[in-house]
Amino acid sequence: MYHLAVDIGASSGRHIVGWLEDGVMKYEEVYRFYNGLDNIDGSLCWNTERLFSEIINGMKKCAEVGKIPSTMAIDTWGVDFVLLDKDGKIVGNSVGYRDSRTEGYIEKAFETMSKRALYDETGLGTNTYNTLFQLLSLKDNHPEQLEAACDFLMIPDYFVYLLTGNKFNEYTNATTTELIDVHTNTWSKKVLDTYGIKKSLFRELSMPGTKAGKLKSEIKEKVGYDLDVVLAASHDTASAVMAIPSNGDNVMYISSGTWSLMGIESMTPQLADICMEHSFTNEGGYNYRYTVLKNIMGLWMIQSVKKELNDKYSFSELCDMAAENADFPSIVDAIDNRFLAPDNMIDEVKAFCKDTNQDVPETVGEIAAVIYNSLAACYRDCANEIEQFTGKKYPAINIIGGGSNAEYLNKVTAKMSGRTVLAGPSEATAIGNLMAQMLSVNKFNDLKDARDCVIKSFGIKTYN
């Protein structure tokens, strides 16, 4: 029996088919496609129509390679959404989280509900791109869109709707909105009422593993087969955390990709002052776990540099050049919003160094070293903050996701943090997506059983 994980990140998407063979998980990438924000009428938007056509193309590819899945699930980034009208059509554009429409809305939101009150209610770190602030901007600038809207769907929920005709609000992605009561794990009546957001837009939350339905007849005809669409932990971070190769109690992780999400898994939310002050967020994980984490800019910074250099160098080459310039002393703040969507990342890194009276990097190797060293420094500081608010020691950091392949970053993280780095699996998000599907058809007894399979199936590299 094959299962299909459709894993769409901010810069690319892929279709990964997985299966169990003699108790070991196997997978194969069958299709990959580009993703990115388009400038439409001055706004940075997702082309959801093109993305859905790529989902269909990848499903067709499964049939071509002779690996027809019996289930599939979709995960994406968090916070972004679509609004649907009474006919199920998108209202307005699918504006992305890097767009500037939310500027000033954090301060505006705090005029009505204090930072502390909002954190106590939602457990979410105050990030300018959170869905709440996107909706407040929409309310001020395009109230007609909210008036016409009948349904609110996160991006993966929308694709599930296009596949099956059925509408869901999946729990893990919903928890990235700053609209969920962190104590009851339901939509927050207090937040919705306070900010005048109509409650009729939202559906009862559904958990990862829920069967969403079969393919619509026209989709079935296009791809040439039918299957069960299952809800993954559709926030890609929640899926990645499922695939941490450990069943230990004190596990610190970095889900490393376009973003670096660094934190711990907890059965209770962490709402202490230190958590709020350092912008730790309590997002939802599998089976009502909390992924208590901090958002760090991550490999977006080096991805942007690579693109600005016209892809002249591979990521491996950029890592090697960073290693050759390891002693370059300057460090930038890898949480600062100036790196969220700059016109030019190289110029922004240089400007930060100049503004803070540090040596300004000039060569590609120096730029790469500043970025990787800055990420490692941020990881070190974040690890120390986690130990402070948990009162526990974490001797190791599990780095999962594509960033686990960044050899230089792994080495410098181990060195700066004074902790062992355990790197892998690199396809953690897709593996977690597959785990949710396999759990839904009882191939694993529970999450512990599934993680035992991950431990057995994938090699982990150690950096001391």
Side-chain angles (χ1 to χ4, degrees):
M1 181 186 285
Y2 295 113
H3 307 275
L4 173 61
V6 180
D7 171 29
I8 309 177
S11 55
S12 69
R14 52 270 181 90
H15 290 57
I16 293 179
V17 173
W19 65 96
L20 290 179
E21 192 174 297
D22 299 324
V24 171
M25 189 184 295
K26 306 277 191 179
Y27 66 79
E28 176 187 339
E29 181 182 302
V30 297
Y31 190 72
R32 180 176 284 263
F33 56 92
Y34 161 79
N35 190 23
L37 288 160
D38 298 332
N39 194 317
I40 300 175
D41 300 328
S43 296
L44 296 175
C45 302
W46 301 109
N47 187 335
T48 51
E49 186 176 341
R50 183 185 64 78
L51 288 175
F52 187 66
S53 72
E54 294 285 23
I55 291 172
I56 298 301
N57 289 340
M59 292 171 71
K60 291 177 181 176
K61 190 70 174 178
C62 292
E64 289 174 24
V65 300
K67 288 184 166 64
I68 295 177
S70 58
T71 68
M72 70 174 288
I74 300 172
D75 66 78
T76 74
W77 62 97
V79 306
D80 288 342
F81 61 93
V82 299
L83 298 174
L84 301 184
D85 65 15
K86 59 183 174 56
D87 299 317
K89 304 298 182 186
I90 288 184
V91 178
N93 292 322
S94 306
V95 180
Y97 62 85
R98 293 192 192 274
D99 187 76
S100 61
R101 67 175 173 170
T102 55
E103 284 180 10
Y105 276 90
I106 289 178
E107 294 76 15
K108 190 169 182 177
F110 289 165
E111 291 172 6
T112 313
M113 197 169 178
S114 71
K115 180 177 181 178
R116 181 74 249 184
L118 197 54
Y119 193 73
D120 283 342
E121 179 71 9
T122 67
L124 239 62
T126 305
N127 296 307
T128 184
Y129 42 76
N130 286 357
T131 314
L132 169 62
F133 308 122
Q134 294 193 45
L135 286 170
L136 294 181
S137 172
L138 206 57
K139 192 178 173 192
D140 281 352
N141 298 296
H142 292 284
E144 76 285 355
Q145 292 183 15
L146 282 171
E147 185 61 33
C150 294
D151 283 290
F152 168 100
L153 299 180
M154 303 298 281
I155 296 293
D157 298 333
Y158 176 58
F159 293 140
V160 166
Y161 165 64
L162 293 181
L163 287 169
T164 66
N166 300 322
K167 297 170 185 171
F168 293 87
N169 287 149
E170 188 274 327
Y171 165 71
T172 66
N173 220 315
T175 65
T176 70
T177 61
E178 207 160 354
L179 301 172
I180 299 295
D181 183 329
V182 73
H183 307 284
T184 63
N185 297 309
T186 57
W187 297 106
S188 169
K189 185 176 184 298
K190 181 186 289 187
V191 172
L192 296 177
D193 285 348
T194 297
Y195 294 107
I197 301 167
K198 59 183 182 183
K199 294 186 279 293
S200 60
L201 291 172
F202 306 96
R203 294 170 178 265
E204 186 175 341
L205 299 177
S206 298
M207 295 303 292
T210 300
K211 290 184 178 174
K214 297 281 190 180
L215 298 178
K216 292 194 295 187
S217 57
E218 61 264 36
I219 304 296
K220 188 165 55 175
E221 286 176 21
K222 283 182 181 178
V223 301
Y225 56 88
D226 200 3
L227 47 64
D228 286 311
V229 178
V230 175
L231 300 185
S234 69
H235 183 211
D236 50 12
T237 304
S239 272
V241 170
M242 284 181 70
I244 293 171
S246 173
N247 275 309
D249 291 329
N250 297 333
V251 177
M252 184 185 291
Y253 61 81
I254 303 171
S255 178
S256 179
T258 299
W259 286 90
S260 288
L261 298 311
M262 184 170 184
I264 58 168
E265 200 173 42
S266 175
M267 296 310 294
T268 55
Q270 302 292 318
L271 302 171
D273 286 345
I274 184 175
C275 299
M276 183 180 73
E277 289 161 8
H278 291 289
S279 294
F280 280 90
T281 199
N282 292 268
E283 294 172 353
Y286 184 79
N287 200 20
Y288 294 113
R289 288 164 169 77
Y290 294 90
T291 57
V292 184
L293 56 85
K294 177 179 283 194
N295 291 277
I296 300 166
M297 287 299 164
L299 297 180
W300 157 252
M301 297 178 74
I302 204 73
Q303 288 167 357
S304 299
V305 168
K306 182 176 183 287
K307 186 176 180 181
E308 287 162 15
L309 297 170
N310 298 313
D311 296 315
K312 182 178 179 180
Y313 305 103
S314 68
F315 288 119
S316 178
E317 287 170 329
L318 288 168
C319 259
D320 290 343
M321 285 189 278
E324 290 166 6
N325 292 270
D327 294 332
F328 194 82
S330 301
I331 296 290
V332 301
D333 181 1
I335 298 177
D336 196 310
N337 277 337
R338 67 191 290 171
F339 300 116
L340 184 63
D343 292 334
N344 185 284
M345 186 65 73
I346 293 173
D347 289 347
E348 200 67 43
V349 169
K350 290 181 176 182
F352 187 101
C353 294
K354 184 178 180 181
D355 293 347
T356 51
N357 298 314
Q358 300 183 80
D359 292 348
V360 177
E362 298 297 340
T363 68
V364 174
E366 288 172 350
I367 291 283
V370 169
I371 289 173
Y372 285 124
N373 291 348
S374 298
L375 288 173
C378 199
Y379 298 162
R380 173 200 62 208
D381 295 344
C382 185
N384 292 338
E385 291 159 7
I386 289 170
E387 289 193 341
Q388 192 175 344
F389 73 71
T390 61
K392 297 177 180 179
K393 288 291 182 186
Y394 294 84
I397 301 172
N398 287 260
I399 300 183
I400 53 179
S404 66
N405 294 322
E407 182 112 356
Y408 174 70
L409 181 56
N410 294 337
K411 287 178 178 177
V412 74
T413 298
K415 181 180 179 181
M416 280 198 187
S417 71
R419 294 170 175 86
T420 299
V421 166
L422 305 170
S426 61
E427 292 289 357
T429 302
I431 292 167
N433 181 318
L434 293 168
M435 289 163 69
Q437 295 179 60
M438 292 177 181
L439 281 159
S440 77
V441 294
N442 302 313
K443 290 191 175 178
F444 299 122
N445 296 321
D446 51 26
L447 182 59
K448 180 183 182 302
D449 191 24
R451 280 179 170 161
D452 283 339
C453 180
V454 171
I455 294 166
K456 186 165 60 172
S457 302
F458 304 106
I460 308 302
K461 196 165 183 180
T462 302
Y463 299 84
N464 292 308

